């Protein structure tokens, strides 16, 4: 993981869906996500955010161009290798948490390692450790329906981190949370980011995006502009960059 | 993924839907239980019957005349064709130790002095050697032509004062006439002596065919051939004909038995025999040992068993369709879970394995429960019919394998559907 300075890189990525008329969900996108960075992606509906997520998450392959995740070109991989890459190099955090309903917290966190063939005892120990770190050390044996939304999202974050991935992909991670809980989760993201985790957050909420180092604005399948935060000026002049510089820990 | 982990996860989801899983396995349970119960009963019945055949009955050939290939066990389709003269002639032939008729005389009651007990099962008329010397516990065999009887213990003990050798009994026949018999012997146990009478224990009175059968037959007009006309004819001849005969070979060796059979059949089908008058294209002399007769019974049992197994197979088919159906529902219902698993790195084969494991577990649980139920059913059945219990253990192993196979077959398509679910669609699935 430390072998390269880039966690994910997209070059000239085009994704075309053919439902009657060809639709270019992504139309020539190039983006580098350095290791340890915190990137937010914003854009209206239909701008290509989900497609980008699916490509970076190795759930899909580009029609044209290359997507490199953890040093591997996703487009050249077969289904099995792509699944393996997804399992080891990508951690997902979803808006709806997506925990397995019949597994308790610690088993949910340990699930990705199950598919990597890690032994049960080792898996559960690591999962407990991670739950401790997201502040759920006392909830390890609770079932998802016994946890609050915020707690579930913490479990999901712990699960995303369990394989020590190249990148954590979060899709509207606070979309289902109230304001206080949202702040808690985003604080946790900041904390892990500070610890070296690469974060990519898709959101349409400005204040969520502002936790990142930079915001990539998508429009109609293209990168409209990249806005650098933390006092650095955006790629386009006139953008009110760094309105809340304290939003990020760095 | 480690199979043990698949098992753990699959078990978790089965337990998550207890009622549904239970109902799903019901079809398998019923199918397997039916097979196991009936196979157990069949094996027990067989063991019971074989266990009852005494070795000294092995040299007896049980005979009757019936249409060839009549199924249904001893005396099926039998017609009375054999005369005493025939039997006397057969007894004189080489390779044959004894030949005598066999008949059940219908009775109403037996009296011992003042005491009368109902005797619905009749008198068993046969030759003296029908009751082997070794089986006589007290007294001796009856003699042909004498008004004598041998009782089994159950018959002797049914009076308040047990009947003992030397006492006289009065038998009231079905027609109301009374006959006196002198008890000359008592056997050692109450089980039946031949497949003609059946092997179960019950009170039995054995008497010689002469005079008891001869008198009864001429009185009732028994002894005809196929129809009434033939009956009148033979009645005109004045001689009683036997429906059933017993021919004793010199030993229980197969060669001796075959020689006796051949010798007797040759005579009975020759013109010299009275029987041949009535034997035509439709009737053939059948002479079989207990073992051979049992083979016929076995055929009937097998037929019945195949029938039950056929019904059970249908139940299994319905059961496996039930499993397949529930698995398909389950796959659809858990689309999102499948998406989650794939997102966190589950390979297609992991998902396939998981669902297949689940349906195999359902199948095997069904088979185990069905086997248990079937064994209990077989036990109760054997108790009820009073048979020695024999468990066909190879069927138990077979049942588990069948459960597994049913689970695999039923789960294959749903599991394949689950495995090829697209994670992007699955994660979006509500």
């Amino acid at each position: 993981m430390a072998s390269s300075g880039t966690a994910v890189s997209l070059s000239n990525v085009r994704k075309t869906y053919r439902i009657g008329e060809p639709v270019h969900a992504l139309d020539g996108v190039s983006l580098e996500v350095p290791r340890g960075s915190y990137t937010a992606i914003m854009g209206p509906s239909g701008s290509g955010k989900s497609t980008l997520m699916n490509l970076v998450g190795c759930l899909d392959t580009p029609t044209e161009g290359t997507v490199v995740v953890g040093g591997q070109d996703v487009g050249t991989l077969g289904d099995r290798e792509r699944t393996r890459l997804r399992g080891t190099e990508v951690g997902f955090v979803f808006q709806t948490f997506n925990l397995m309903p019949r597994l308790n917290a610690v088993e949910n966190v340990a699930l990705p390692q199950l598919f990597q063939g890690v032994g049960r005892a080792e898996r559960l120990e690591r999962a407990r450790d991670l739950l401790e770190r997201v502040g759920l050390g006392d909830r390890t044996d609770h079932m998802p329906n016994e946890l609050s939304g915020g707690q579930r999202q913490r479990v999901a974050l712990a699960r995303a981190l369990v394989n020590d991935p190249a990148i954590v992909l979060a899709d509207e991670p606070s979309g289902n949370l109230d304001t206080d809980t949202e702040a808690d989760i985003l604080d946790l993201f900041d904390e892990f980011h500070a610890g070296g985790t690469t974060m990519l957050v898709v959101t349409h909420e400005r204040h969520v995006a502002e936790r990142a180092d930079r915001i990539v604005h998508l429009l109609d399948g293209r990168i409209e502009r990249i806005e650098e935060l933390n006092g650095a000026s955006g790629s386009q002049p006139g953008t009110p960059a760094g309105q809340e510089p304290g939003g990020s820990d760095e | 993924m480690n199979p043990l982990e698949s098992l753990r996860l699959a078990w978790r989801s089965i337990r998550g839907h207890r009622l549904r899983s239970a109902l799903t396995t019901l079809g398998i349970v019923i199918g397997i239980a039916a097979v196991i119960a009936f196979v157990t009963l069949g094996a027990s019945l067989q063991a019971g019957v074989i266990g009852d055949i005494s070795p000294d009955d092995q040299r007896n050939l049980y005979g009757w005349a019936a249409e060839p290939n009549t199924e249904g066990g001893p005396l099926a389709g039998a017609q009375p064709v054999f005369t005493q003269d025939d039997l006397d002639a057969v007894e004189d032939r080489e390779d044959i130790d004894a030949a005598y008729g066999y008949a059940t005389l219908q009775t109403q009651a037996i009296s011992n002095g003042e005491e009368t007990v109902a005797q619905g099962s009749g008198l068993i008329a046969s030759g003296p050697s029908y009751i082997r010397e070794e089986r006589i516990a007290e007294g001796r065999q009856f003699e042909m032509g004498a008004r004598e009887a041998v009782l089994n213990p159950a018959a002797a003990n049914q009076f308040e004062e047990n009947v003992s050798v030397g006492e006289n009994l009065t038998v009231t026949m079905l027609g109301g006439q009374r006959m006196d018999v002198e008890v000359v012997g008592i056997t050692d146990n109450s089980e039946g002596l031949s497949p003609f009478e059946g092997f179960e224990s019950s009170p039995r009175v054995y008497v010689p065919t002469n005079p008891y059968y001869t008198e009864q037959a001429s009185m009732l007009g028994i002894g005809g051939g196929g129809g009434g006309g033939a009956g009148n004819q033979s009645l005109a001849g004045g001689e009683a004909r036997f429906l059933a005969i017993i021919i004793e070979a010199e030993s229980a060796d197969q060669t001796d038995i075959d020689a006796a059979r051949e010798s007797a059949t040759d005579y009975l089908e020759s013109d010299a025999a009275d029987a041949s008058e009535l034997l035509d294209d439709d009737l053939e002399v059948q002479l079989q040992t207990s073992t051979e007769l049992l083979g016929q019974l076995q055929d009937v049992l097998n037929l019945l068993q195949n029938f039950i197994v056929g019904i059970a197979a249908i139940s299994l088919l319905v059961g496996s369709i039930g499993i397949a159906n529930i698995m398909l529902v389950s796959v659809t219902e858990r689309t999102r879970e499948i998406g989650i698993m794939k997102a966190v790195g589950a390979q297609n084969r992991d998902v396939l394995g998981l669902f297949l494991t689940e349906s195999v577990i359902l199948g095997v649980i069904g088979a185990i429960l069905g086997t248990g139920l079937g064994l209990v059913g077989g036990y109760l059945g054997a108790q009820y019919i009073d048979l020695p219990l024999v468990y066909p253990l190879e069927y138990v192993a077979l049942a588990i394998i069948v459960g597994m196979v049913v689970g695999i077959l039923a789960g294959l398509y749903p599991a394949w559907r689950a495995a090829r679910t697209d994670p992007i669609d699955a994660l979006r699935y509500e």
Side-chain angles (χ1 to χ4, degrees), chain B residues 65 79-87 101-103 105 209 213-218 221-226 230-245 268 272-279 283:
Chain B
Q79 301 291 354
V81 301
F82 307 103
T83 63
Q84 189 60 48
D85 288 347
D86 288 344
L87 293 164
Y102 174 94
L105 307 178
T209 51
Y213 179 70
T214 343
E215 283 176 1
Q216 283 292 302
S218 53
I222 301 174
N232 293 335
Q233 215 173 41
S234 77
L235 197 66
E239 186 153 23
R241 289 185 185 253
F242 288 100
L243 196 69
I245 56 173
L268 290 170
D274 295 334
S276 67
E277 298 164 20
L278 296 171
L279 288 174
L283 289 178

Side-chain angles (χ1 to χ4, degrees), chain B residues 45 80 84 143 157 174 197 204 239 252 302 305-306 322 399 407 430:
Chain B
L45 191 60
Q84 189 60 48
E143 275 169 19
N157 297 343
L174 191 64
E197 44 178 305
R204 289 185 176 90
E239 186 153 23
N302 284 349
Q305 202 155 305
N306 289 344
E430 292 298 327

Side-chain angles (χ1 to χ4, degrees), chain B residues 70-150:
Chain B
T70 310
E71 299 214 353
L75 293 178
Q79 301 291 354
V81 301
F82 307 103
T83 63
Q84 189 60 48
D85 288 347
D86 288 344
L87 293 164
D88 292 344
V90 167
E91 193 168 80
D92 289 342
R93 288 174 72 88
E94 268 181 48
D95 305 319
I96 292 173
D97 247 20
Y100 44 86
Y102 174 94
T104 307
L105 307 178
Q106 290 179 299
T107 53
Q108 289 185 14
I110 300 179
S111 313
N112 179 20
E114 293 297 299
E115 193 187 353
T116 300
V117 295
Q119 170 80 2
S121 56
L123 302 180
I124 292 163
S126 64
S129 60
Y130 181 71
I131 302 155
R132 304 239 157 246
E133 302 241 16
E134 311 89 80
R135 294 285 303 262
I136 304 268
E138 209 182 311
R140 57 170 173 85
Q141 294 169 325
F142 55 72
E143 275 169 19
M144 197 55 103
R147 295 195 171 268
E148 295 175 344
V150 173

